[in-house]
Amino acid sequence: MAAVMVGHRGEDSLPHGFGSRPWLFQMHGSKKSTCTFFDPINNSLEERVLPEFLQGKACLGFYQDWLLLADEQTRECFFLSITSFSKIYLPSFPESPDFLKAIVSITSPPNTSNCIVILVCSSKTFLLVSSPGRKMWKKVPLKYFKQNTGSLRGPSIIYNEQLFVMASMSVTLVIDVAPLIRGCVKMTVIDQLKPCPVPYSWHTFLVECAGDLFSVLVHSYGSRQLIIHIEVRRLELSCNEIHWRRVQDIGDHAFFLAGSSGKSLPANKARGVQRNCIYFPANNSDGARLYNFCLDDQVLNFTFLPENNGGLNRLQWAFPMKMMQTVEEDIFNSSDVMRSEMTDSTVIGNEDENEVVSSRQWDELPIELVELLFPRLSLVDCLRLSSVCKGWSQASNFTRKGRVWPWLMHLPNLKYQSWKFFDPFCCEEYTLKSNAVVVARDHLALRFSKNGWVVITEGNKKVFILNPFTAEVINLPPLPLKDYFFDSISFTSVPTSPDFVVYGFFFQICGEFVEISTWCPGEEEWTVLEFQPSIPFFPSSNSPVLFQGEFYCLGRKGELGVFNPELETWNVLSKPEPIYSTEPRYGNEYCHLLELNGDLISVFRTDDTKQPIRVLKLDRSEMKWEKLEHLRGMTLFVDRRNSIAIRSPEKKYANRIYVPWFEGGMDSKKGIFYSMENNSYHPSLHRVEEPLTCVWMEPNLHLHS
């Protein structure tokens, strides 16, 4: 079909380097006469004035070099080539529904005879279909919704000449594309795309990659949509049934998500793109972020996008056809390499190959002198020192004498069958093989840690407690309900002690019902206690604190709920009074409760890194919260579910609050902390990495303790 030449080619409207790698771009319609370009590799933003004929236009979709544009006022609709700046017209949009919010799927370039454009309008039960050269859009009702409640939700994608579109209840509708232009519908239904066992909201993207169709589920919670889990599933056909199967990686490709659309690209096609990663922008309270989720190590990286008053509305990824074809080596395109391995073959320092030192000389050093070194060394250095020679390995309790502080434990891709640990003080990362990961068949989540033991859930049914260093495992019985539902979980002491008891806490969303489940070794099922308190209680996501024989739970307003295990009672204390007059929206803040030097301390931090962290101490004489200005030689470690306080092993680490982030890089990592001295985060938040499944824990290498 004929294309209309506009005349102005508009090369000056495109930034330098556009087309050599994926770019984010944003047309602002009638709000601005410019187009905003984001370079995710260089983290730069450029505003370019649009030619007059493009001003007032919104971009609804992108296919190769072609933009699908619409005029907000006249509803005029056309394709525009960004290489030739030629136009191919579509019919004008109807007055309703709101076409600017529609999800667009395009079969082929508009200059081909088989190009079909399909609009999916959220909350509707029909499609809008047209093609270049036609005079109007065809409304195609879907009979599926006559027998089933719900509506279209998006996203949608055309794959193997079929339209895949998500509907209510996460049902996937599969519709043959060719008959749609005639108003005919041939459709099959794929059962629910069930999310992982995380009781929060999720957003789905559909991506075609290397001949396969993938769905990406991004789980989030709270009013600010904090990202807590990401998983990828591939469409598979088995036993004449179509279903989604979870996969661990996407190979040498990268996914690019924005709005309700997703695209894929071989990582070697563009500079700075990392294989087996998912890139997507998202708004946050401290500004727009560009996320990069690495499937290899299950770490979420983010950088801040330059300020843009257009927000992320109608942000699109551009993949022009002139995308570079040569493969360029980049620092981000490296395989996952561990900085350290916890084996006795670890190298300490540099070895002069011309100098030969007899191990016998080390053996002759009195063991009493060697043992004087251990209290001055970190746990890993104690392990390294003990491996120097056989005599030193026999030093008594050398691991108990080493200095121990919390490490951030997290789970990389299950295929690696190991845990990872990050030491925030030494800035070292370690890998530890684990049979618990080897036998895992479903999503693992780290829920709580104490004395080196970690509560872990597998899928939505299995719960166990693990010491990752001794490989001891305590299997808990099946949960009282079919799915994991605890808001928080804790236990009294190390699992090998006689007074060991596990407590799981569940709070109804309205705050008027509390269920506490208990389990002791030897019992075959959980004991469930139910309470209906007169005062509603809305808990934080942090685990309760066992303090003076009772479990204290922190509410989102700063109130305290107390469970007495001996009396089996639950009470919401009238004091301390809440620090908020109204209920904060869930997810606005991370709320932590912990014991510090015999006192209860609460920590309130938002996901807005520009806001200070508030630390409060409970004055038990008057039962009120008081602001704490200094930690007095202590260091705190907080994550989404757990919190630990220790006396700082060195003065330079004191008065800090370590969060579950580190400043990333292939060469080194640095633990990110909040300084109580100057009320700011350190180091700079230029490139932040956050493992999505992690918990702070204190290493414990001793069996049965």
Side-chain angles (χ1 to χ4, degrees):
M1 61 207 38
V4 178
M5 298 302 299
V6 179
H8 175 74
R9 292 181 60 85
E11 284 87 347
D12 56 341
S13 297
L14 298 176
H16 176 72
F18 187 82
S20 65
R21 53 187 176 270
W23 282 68
L24 283 164
F25 74 98
Q26 182 182 47
M27 297 181 68
H28 303 281
S30 58
K31 296 180 180 179
K32 295 173 69 176
S33 61
T34 60
C35 182
T36 304
F37 293 89
F38 297 94
D39 183 347
I41 305 304
N42 296 327
N43 197 37
S44 61
L45 177 147
E46 293 189 42
E47 290 276 353
R48 293 299 179 101
V49 177
L50 290 168
E52 186 175 351
F53 75 94
L54 290 181
Q55 295 181 13
K57 306 298 188 293
C59 181
L60 305 185
F62 193 101
Y63 193 96
Q64 295 180 356
D65 285 353
W66 295 88
L67 303 177
L68 178 59
L69 304 178
D71 190 290
E72 294 184 0
Q73 304 299 323
T74 66
R75 303 191 308 282
E76 178 189 46
C77 181
F78 60 91
F79 283 101
L80 176 74
S81 169
I82 63 172
T83 54
S84 66
F85 267 65
S86 57
K87 281 184 178 181
I88 294 180
Y89 283 89
L90 286 167
S92 295
F93 283 114
E95 293 187 13
S96 61
D98 189 353
F99 61 89
L100 291 177
K101 296 181 180 179
I103 302 168
V104 178
S105 294
I106 306 168
T107 59
S108 59
N111 55 357
T112 60
S113 59
N114 58 348
C115 175
I116 298 176
V117 182
I118 305 171
L119 267 63
V120 176
C121 302
S122 183
S123 302
K124 304 297 180 181
T125 59
F126 59 84
L127 303 172
L128 290 177
V129 184
S130 191
S131 61
R134 291 188 173 263
K135 296 182 179 180
M136 60 184 299
W137 290 87
K138 192 172 193 64
K139 182 178 178 180
V140 183
L142 300 178
K143 294 182 180 180
Y144 169 83
F145 295 109
K146 291 185 177 181
Q147 293 84 27
N148 300 273
T149 59
S151 60
L152 297 172
R153 296 297 182 187
S156 67
I157 192 172
I158 294 175
Y159 171 71
N160 284 349
E161 301 181 351
Q162 293 179 309
L163 176 72
F164 287 72
V165 58
M166 304 298 294
S168 300
M169 304 301 294
S170 299
V171 170
T172 306
L173 306 181
V174 185
I175 306 169
D176 288 357
V177 171
L180 286 176
I181 201 69
R182 304 189 306 271
C184 301
V185 178
K186 183 179 179 181
M187 180 174 64
T188 57
V189 178
I190 304 177
D191 201 2
Q192 293 183 3
L193 177 61
K194 296 180 181 179
C196 76
V198 182
Y200 306 113
S201 62
W202 69 92
H203 191 68
T204 306
F205 300 85
L206 298 176
V207 184
E208 182 178 4
C209 176
D212 289 318
L213 182 61
F214 294 83
S215 62
V216 180
L217 279 70
V218 179
H219 296 258
S220 58
Y221 84 101
S223 59
R224 293 177 178 169
Q225 297 295 290
L226 304 177
I227 298 168
I228 57 173
H229 180 68
I230 298 174
E231 65 177 288
V232 181
R233 301 180 183 184
R234 182 172 58 214
L235 190 70
E236 292 192 349
L237 177 63
S238 63
C239 301
N240 296 321
E241 292 185 358
I242 302 176
H243 64 278
W244 297 99
R245 186 176 72 86
R246 188 179 179 193
V247 296
Q248 300 296 331
D249 60 62
I250 54 177
D252 292 326
H253 286 76
F255 288 175
F256 298 84
L257 315 176
S260 296
S261 64
K263 298 179 175 67
S264 68
L265 180 75
N268 60 7
K269 295 294 183 181
R271 295 192 304 266
V273 175
Q274 186 179 358
R275 66 173 299 279
N276 204 26
C277 287
I278 301 172
Y279 296 81
F280 60 98
N283 276 318
N284 202 65
S285 55
D286 53 5
R289 296 176 176 182
L290 178 64
Y291 289 98
N292 169 15
F293 178 64
C294 177
L295 287 162
D296 274 338
D297 56 15
Q298 297 289 298
V299 169
L300 186 67
N301 308 276
F302 70 84
T303 57
F304 291 101
L305 288 171
E307 291 188 9
N308 167 37
N309 56 17
L312 299 181
N313 185 41
R314 279 291 171 188
L315 203 61
Q316 302 269 356
W317 284 102
F319 293 81
M321 289 297 291
K322 63 177 182 177
M323 184 74 71
M324 61 186 301
Q325 299 299 313
T326 58
V327 180
E328 294 194 25
E329 190 70 22
D330 190 85
I331 59 173
F332 300 110
N333 200 26
S334 304
S335 60
D336 184 36
V337 178
M338 296 309 306
R339 288 184 47 78
S340 303
E341 295 287 341
M342 292 191 61
T343 67
D344 55 11
S345 60
T346 304
V347 177
I348 308 296
N350 297 317
E351 182 180 345
D352 187 345
E353 60 182 11
N354 296 320
E355 181 181 357
V356 179
V357 180
S358 171
S359 61
R360 189 174 179 183
Q361 291 178 321
W362 296 113
D363 271 336
E364 293 173 355
L365 188 66
I367 195 65
E368 293 79 10
L369 294 180
V370 177
E371 291 182 347
L372 293 176
L373 297 175
F374 288 120
R376 300 177 179 271
L377 301 177
S378 68
L379 176 63
V380 172
D381 284 338
C382 284
L383 293 172
R384 291 167 174 164
L385 189 64
S386 66
S387 66
V388 169
C389 61
K390 183 178 180 180
W392 291 13
S393 66
Q394 297 174 350
S396 60
N397 296 325
F398 62 86
T399 55
R400 293 186 185 273
K401 296 177 181 178
R403 297 188 300 174
V404 177
W405 46 78
W407 291 357
L408 188 65
M409 174 181 175
H410 65 103
L411 176 68
N413 197 305
L414 284 177
K415 67 181 181 181
Y416 295 115
Q417 302 178 350
S418 60
W419 303 107
K420 282 189 178 181
F421 300 87
F422 177 71
D423 182 337
F425 293 171
C426 298
C427 299
E428 295 277 358
E429 192 171 51
Y430 311 104
T431 298
L432 182 63
K433 293 290 183 179
S434 172
N435 287 331
V437 184
V438 172
V439 300
R441 295 293 180 265
D442 207 340
H443 171 70
L444 296 178
L446 310 182
R447 304 287 181 177
F448 175 71
S449 80
K450 186 175 183 178
N451 298 328
W453 293 80
V454 183
V455 179
I456 304 173
T457 56
E458 180 183 344
N460 58 357
K461 297 179 180 180
K462 183 178 179 180
V463 185
F464 61 97
I465 304 176
L466 169 74
N467 182 331
F469 295 96
T470 64
E472 294 172 284
V473 178
I474 306 293
N475 289 305
L476 277 60
L479 294 169
L481 297 180
K482 65 177 181 178
D483 293 340
Y484 182 86
F485 62 96
F486 294 142
D487 291 289
S488 56
I489 193 168
S490 183
F491 51 81
T492 54
S493 57
V494 295
T496 53
S497 66
D499 59 347
F500 170 71
V501 185
V502 181
Y503 293 88
F505 293 75
F506 166 73
F507 300 89
Q508 198 176 45
I509 192 169
C510 64
E512 298 177 353
F513 177 80
V514 180
E515 186 173 286
I516 301 175
S517 302
T518 69
W519 177 81
C520 298
E523 296 180 347
E524 296 183 356
E525 60 183 18
W526 294 78
T527 299
V528 180
L529 305 173
E530 297 180 352
F531 304 94
Q532 290 183 302
S534 57
I535 303 176
F537 184 78
F538 301 92
S540 65
S541 60
N542 200 235
S543 296
V545 173
L546 182 59
F547 181 71
Q548 296 184 349
E550 295 181 306
F551 282 100
Y552 283 75
C553 299
L554 180 66
R556 298 199 296 271
K557 291 193 297 183
E559 69 273 45
L560 289 174
V562 182
F563 172 67
N564 187 306
E566 184 176 351
L567 302 178
E568 296 185 348
T569 58
W570 166 263
N571 293 293
V572 179
L573 303 183
S574 58
K575 291 185 177 183
E577 295 181 356
I579 62 174
Y580 293 110
S581 58
T582 59
E583 178 69 31
R585 298 185 67 181
Y586 190 62
N588 278 11
E589 279 192 312
Y590 297 110
C591 310
H592 311 274
L593 185 68
L594 62 160
E595 182 180 356
L596 180 66
N597 291 333
D599 291 307
L600 285 177
I601 302 295
S602 60
V603 179
F604 295 85
R605 65 183 182 97
T606 73
D607 60 319
D608 185 348
T609 56
K610 299 175 183 176
Q611 297 297 318
I613 292 180
R614 294 188 299 166
V615 182
L616 306 174
K617 172 186 173 182
L618 181 64
D619 182 346
R620 285 186 288 160
S621 62
E622 299 186 16
M623 288 301 291
K624 66 177 183 179
W625 292 114
E626 294 183 343
K627 186 176 181 180
L628 199 62
E629 301 285 355
H630 200 284
L631 297 178
R632 303 191 182 282
M634 304 297 288
T635 305
L636 308 185
F637 302 82
V638 296
D639 56 62
R640 291 176 175 175
R641 297 185 177 95
N642 203 39
S643 51
I644 300 175
I646 66 166
R647 179 161 297 282
S648 177
E650 296 182 25
K651 184 178 180 180
K652 63 180 179 180
Y653 301 125
N655 217 28
R656 294 178 177 181
I657 303 174
Y658 279 86
V659 294
W661 299 345
F662 33 82
E663 186 184 51
M666 295 306 299
D667 295 329
S668 64
K669 286 182 171 67
K670 295 180 180 179
I672 293 178
F673 61 89
Y674 180 84
S675 171
M676 295 282 287
E677 299 285 351
N678 52 31
N679 297 318
S680 62
Y681 286 91
H682 299 272
S684 63
L685 302 178
H686 174 65
R687 179 178 172 82
V688 177
E689 296 186 7
E690 177 185 9
L692 286 187
T693 301
C694 66
V695 69
W696 288 107
M697 60 89 64
E698 297 175 275
N700 179 359
L701 276 63
H702 313 296
L703 283 169
H704 315 305
S705 65

